[in-house]
Amino acid sequence: MLEATPKEIKTRKALRVNPCKTCEPVGALYAALGVHRCMPHSHGSQGCCSYHRTFLSRHFKEPAIATTSSFTEGASVFGGGSNLKTAVKNIFDIYNPDIIAVHTTCLSETIGDDLNSYIESIDIPEGKVVVHANTPSYAGSHIVGFGNMMSGFIKYLAEKSQAKTDQIAIFPGFVNPGDMRELKRLAKQMQVHYIMFPDTSGVLDAPNKGHYEMYPQGGTTVAEIRGLGAVKRVLALGEVTCTPPAMVLQAKCGVNFTALPLPIGIEATDQYLMELSRLVNTEVSDSLTEERGQLVDVILDAQQNFAKKTVAIYGDPDIVLGLTAFVLEMGMIPKYILTGTKSDLFSKRGEALFAKFGVSGCQALNNEDLFTLHQLIKNDGVDLMIGTTHGKYIARAEDIPLVRAGFPVLDRYVHSYMPLVGYRGAMRLLEMICNALLDRRDRDAADEDFELVM
Amino acid sequence: MNEREKVLDQYSGRVFKNRKDHIIELDEAGVPQVIAANSRSIPGLMVNRGCCYAGCKGVVLGPIADAVVLTHGPIGCGFYSWGTRRNKAKPEGEGAKNYLQYCFSTDMQEPDIVFGGEKKLRQAIVEIMEIFQPKCIFICSTCPVGLIGDDIQAVARWVKSTYKIACAAFSCEGYKGVSQSAGHHIANNGLMKEIIGSGQAKNSKKFAVNLLGEYNIGGDGWETERLLKQIGYEVVSVFTGDGSFEKMKNAHTANLNLVQCHRSINYIAEMMKAKYGIDWIKVNFIGIDETIRSLRSLAIYFDDAGLKQRTEEVIADELAAIEDQRQYYRSRLTGYTAGVFVGGSRSHHYQNLLLDFGIKTVIAGYEFAHRDDYEGREVLPDIKPDADSKNIEQLSPVADEAHYHLTLSKERFAELQNEIDLETYHGMFREMADGTVTVDDFNHYETEKLIELFQPDIFYSGIKDKYMIQKSGTPSRQLHSYDYSGPYACFTGAINFARDTYMSISAPAWKYLTPPWLVSSTLEGSIGGTENA
């Protein structure tokens, strides 16, 4: 496995090997699926749309709908305006969504298609909406694309309002439907009136009822996105992902925001609840206090199994930072934390976490790839890896247990239903981490050392 | 209104005008039908097609394990085509490396788009040579590369002269052609120009064959090779499942090319005939009867008594080994109906396999086939090139005197054409019954509608529609990935397929789609004011 990977690390200036990120449009497509009755539309070659739908379906094990402008060589020379016009007509005729969310690709960006003027010149049926976002694949990553699509919706739809509602907007970031459900459950427990944007719960975890619904019940409605301009405040969960769209909303509608870390682990969940508590002037409920106490209890019960163990965490910036904070709370040492997305903020926040918990010899790397991670591990190994499916090659090559978390997880089921956020999510993470390490101990134990009780 | 008209009924104006020619209802078996294929998809229709890059890098080049395939472009395309197609490989020999676990990309950034990406591409190759020292590099372009004019062919020449290794550049930008199909052609051209025939070996073995268009999905190629070797054939190279650039170099030494996937590889078969005189034969190792037919055709081609005898022995052994299970699954599956929508050759192959177990195909279609894949190669002279197909280079190689070798005399060749599928392919329509509907470049709406109209017991397709179909209450299996099962080829593969099909249809969970409280009330009625009745 990965036999061609040498131990010696050479600086690379141009070559990316085994990336830990993908391109902007898939993030845009995912964000658009979190809008009710929305058809995501890829303005580029057919292949982009096909790859993105395939990829999302492999992670969620769910249909991921989207249409494409089906560029040919001619469109690439003369511009994709007429393709988009035809597409919009056909989409409304045949699939009848409430809204079409167009995102660009490296192709349409390179030829300089002007989506603003295209959309202005298209006849849009009454009551229907077309919005767009620029998501060039040669800039940013899927995380940036996710934020850009959110900004696109906001720019087109959010309405400025002098009168503020009592609602709080929650930007959950690029997380699973299971996380979004959990964030909403916590907010409901705090008696918060909220708009979650986007919200893929009820879309990418829709039940099987024996008949297919192209637009399931979930998703933020167009009316809710319009209403974002009137909310009391935005909680942008995950600084790297959600700060840019929160700033767009602030600039357009004057809505202030609080950027918080993704609520993974104890302190970040505490922060989320405290912020909600302050905003709506409600005390944190006894049942949430109980959940928190249970989490602290199990960490203390099981700590001998993971304390001081070293771990490599990789994936998307906000999720990796959340996981890093939690493993530090558990007493582990996050020796390498790595994201493929370019983000100095990621490294800065990561180093701040290392300092806060007084761990040394840890590295926080952004704009890096899994080839680098593997070489680092070859030079100085870890006890555990936490991250996406693509790390399984390294885990096998170096015989390291792997806990799957983040996007994408392509080789396991149910994960997208189960949260990482909140105290419950943390408890699930702890169980996965602890089981991975204990299974490894069982596997490696000699007969005379094989324990019944652990 | 027949079924076809019911599907088309939803469409208005221009969409109707376009789609009506892509949807064919067979009425009388044997009557030739014309289908529109390999033409542009309509923007806004949720089609299953991918792009030229997907066909070139993803399908044809991707499985070649000992070559570094470098994607020149932004990160996405390389990332999506990394390890996602189940083309298994196990490189043999000392120092053989397996690059399938790797994704190589130039990860182009905005300055590269603005100022050109050639410099970065060269630097990436310098780094590949420093770190990996491969013997072969393939460069594949994605959309922006063609638009900004990076000369990847020049870079490939530079690689060859600087490093003395094999290198080929493939200008397979996603917007070229109308589907993956253009990418197959571009990959075929590049392999023909740069790799095939670049080895030094001479034709020597008597029963030497290449297996073309076998991508070793789920180990299909290994199963096919096992039988061929058992009978006594030498498999010189496989294009491209568990493929090896080292073996492909000597592909010109074979006596016969076996074409499994007609759509993706027929170009190489034709070009090798012109350049090296190697005949090709259409085989199909999907399906029990089809595998038998293919093996016998090979034996007839080589016309060797020993080979014929071993062919019959192997067939008898394989049949005996699966007989009980074959009977069992046939008894369980006979009478079911299926929809098969996949690729550009598989929908045909799998209808044969389904028939082995008594399952009738009622609806079928392809994503990226051409007319000949539906109607047979007889229609090739009638296919007019359009603007999109003209943009794909058409090579006309001339005979290579050093390596040209005919296996059959002209007379024998002509004689055999009446007996076996020698350099011909009759297409999918011939297998399909009256009342069945075939759809070219099928889309999401048509899939939904066809399932509603035909209510097949199982629908074979890909990941993009699998979950939609299952949510409609119809079992669905992926025929691109076999839902991570397989192999499905040859005899034992057929049993694997039947087992998986039966498992999907008979899953106990199908019975639980409707909760009991929706069919019988849990609330006890109270009549006439009687409380606690």
Side-chain angles (χ1 to χ4, degrees), chain B residues 177-194:
Chain B
V178 298
S179 69
Q180 292 94 312
S181 180
H184 304 148
H185 197 163
I186 288 170
N188 278 224
N189 287 348
L191 291 176
M192 192 67 201
K193 278 196 274 194
E194 297 293 341

Side-chain angles (χ1 to χ4, degrees), chain B residues 16-236:
Chain B
F16 174 85
K17 213 175 144 193
N18 177 301
R19 292 302 300 158
K20 70 178 173 39
D21 298 330
H22 293 267
I23 304 178
I24 297 296
E25 181 155 341
L26 296 179
D27 41 19
E28 283 178 64
V31 173
Q33 292 267 14
V34 177
I35 191 165
N38 192 36
S39 57
R40 290 178 191 181
S41 299
I42 304 172
L45 264 60
M46 212 188 303
V47 295
N48 274 14
R49 281 178 168 179
C51 65
C52 186
Y53 169 87
C56 181
K57 193 275 182 180
V59 173
V60 181
L61 301 178
I64 304 170
D66 57 359
V68 163
V69 184
L70 173 61
T71 299
H72 184 38
I75 197 65
C77 303
F79 183 73
Y80 301 120
S81 55
W82 172 24
T84 47
R85 198 168 154 262
R86 295 202 76 218
N87 34 245
K88 298 185 178 199
K90 195 177 175 187
E92 289 163 11
E94 207 179 318
K97 286 180 181 170
N98 186 349
Y99 293 113
L100 295 194
Q101 296 140 14
Y102 293 85
C103 162
F104 301 93
S105 170
T106 53
D107 189 9
M108 287 174 91
Q109 299 296 305
E110 195 145 9
D112 307 318
I113 302 291
V114 177
F115 302 110
E118 231 176 277
K119 208 173 136 196
K120 191 173 195 185
L121 174 60
R122 282 172 198 256
Q123 176 61 27
I125 287 169
V126 169
E127 291 167 12
I128 286 174
M129 293 310 296
E130 268 176 21
I131 300 169
F132 299 97
Q133 301 100 35
K135 290 179 186 156
C136 177
I137 296 177
F138 294 138
I139 303 163
C140 292
S141 297
T142 73
C143 290
V145 171
L147 300 169
I148 63 174
D150 282 358
D151 188 351
I152 63 165
Q153 303 298 339
V155 174
R157 288 193 293 276
W158 167 77
V159 173
K160 283 191 282 187
S161 65
T162 309
Y163 296 106
K164 315 291 177 216
I165 63 166
C167 183
F170 299 83
S171 298
C172 55
E173 287 83 358
Y175 54 77
K176 287 195 174 157
V178 298
S179 69
Q180 292 94 312
S181 180
H184 304 148
H185 197 163
I186 288 170
N188 278 224
N189 287 348
L191 291 176
M192 192 67 201
K193 278 196 274 194
E194 297 293 341
I195 305 299
I196 298 167
S198 65
Q200 299 310 313
K202 297 270 179 214
N203 171 260
S204 57
K205 298 268 177 21
K206 215 170 162 191
F207 309 127
V209 298
N210 293 312
L211 186 50
L212 306 186
E214 169 51 66
Y215 301 103
N216 201 31
I217 306 300
D220 277 353
W222 288 333
E223 182 60 9
T224 307
E225 267 191 85
R226 181 179 71 80
L227 291 191
L228 291 174
K229 286 177 180 166
Q230 219 175 320
I231 292 170
Y233 296 102
E234 189 208 4
V235 179
V236 179

Side-chain angles (χ1 to χ4, degrees), chain A residues 1-6 10-26 39 41 45-55 57-58 60-74 76-77 82-84 86-91 93-95 106-108 110-111 136-140 142 203 205-214 342 367 370-371 374-375 390 393 408 410 413 417, chain B residues 10-12 14-15 40-51 53-55 58 70 74-85 97-111 113 119-121 123-125 127-128 130-133 142-144 147-148 173-180 388 391-392 441 443-446 448 463-465 467-473 478 481 484 510 512-514:
Chain A
M1 190 54 54
L2 295 180
E3 273 109 9
T5 304
K10 286 186 178 149
T11 313
R12 281 173 286 139
K13 286 187 290 189
L15 181 67
R16 183 68 76 197
V17 188
N18 297 355
C20 188
K21 65 167 178 183
T22 180
C23 62
E24 284 205 36
V26 75
M39 179 65 81
H41 181 81
S45 299
Q46 276 157 196
C48 310
C49 189
S50 177
Y51 275 141
H52 301 148
R53 291 180 62 205
T54 299
F55 223 71
S57 279
R58 285 183 175 144
F60 295 104
K61 318 296 182 195
E62 288 291 313
I65 56 166
T67 50
T68 164
S69 289
S70 292
F71 269 56
T72 57
E73 202 145 2
S76 307
V77 175
S82 82
N83 288 50
L84 185 66
T86 308
V88 167
K89 182 184 176 338
N90 289 333
I91 294 164
D93 274 1
I94 296 162
Y95 302 115
C106 47
L107 170 53
S108 50
T110 302
I111 62 172
S137 321
Y138 48 74
H142 59 297
V203 181
D205 59 359
N208 195 330
K209 304 183 205 167
H211 59 272
Y212 169 67
E213 288 165 346
M214 181 169 257
K342 190 163 191 276
N367 194 22
L370 295 180
F371 187 73
H374 189 190
Q375 291 191 309
H390 288 90
Y393 296 115
L410 306 170
Y413 291 75
Y417 292 78
Chain B
Q10 165 89 4
Y11 292 137
S12 58
R14 292 162 77 171
V15 178
R40 290 178 191 181
S41 299
I42 304 172
L45 264 60
M46 212 188 303
V47 295
N48 274 14
R49 281 178 168 179
C51 65
Y53 169 87
L70 173 61
I75 197 65
C77 303
F79 183 73
Y80 301 120
S81 55
W82 172 24
T84 47
R85 198 168 154 262
K97 286 180 181 170
N98 186 349
Y99 293 113
L100 295 194
Q101 296 140 14
Y102 293 85
C103 162
F104 301 93
S105 170
T106 53
D107 189 9
M108 287 174 91
Q109 299 296 305
E110 195 145 9
I113 302 291
K119 208 173 136 196
K120 191 173 195 185
L121 174 60
Q123 176 61 27
I125 287 169
E127 291 167 12
I128 286 174
E130 268 176 21
I131 300 169
F132 299 97
Q133 301 100 35
T142 73
C143 290
L147 300 169
I148 63 174
E173 287 83 358
Y175 54 77
K176 287 195 174 157
V178 298
S179 69
Q180 292 94 312
D388 299 305
N391 286 337
I392 311 301
D441 185 19
N443 59 51
H444 193 282
Y445 154 72
E446 287 163 6
E448 272 188 276
I463 184 86
K464 289 191 288 286
D465 38 12
Y467 301 111
M468 173 270 273
I469 295 158
Q470 298 241 127
K471 281 212 176 5
S472 78
Q478 301 179 59
S481 71
Y484 310 94
W510 288 119
Y512 300 109
L513 287 178
T514 309

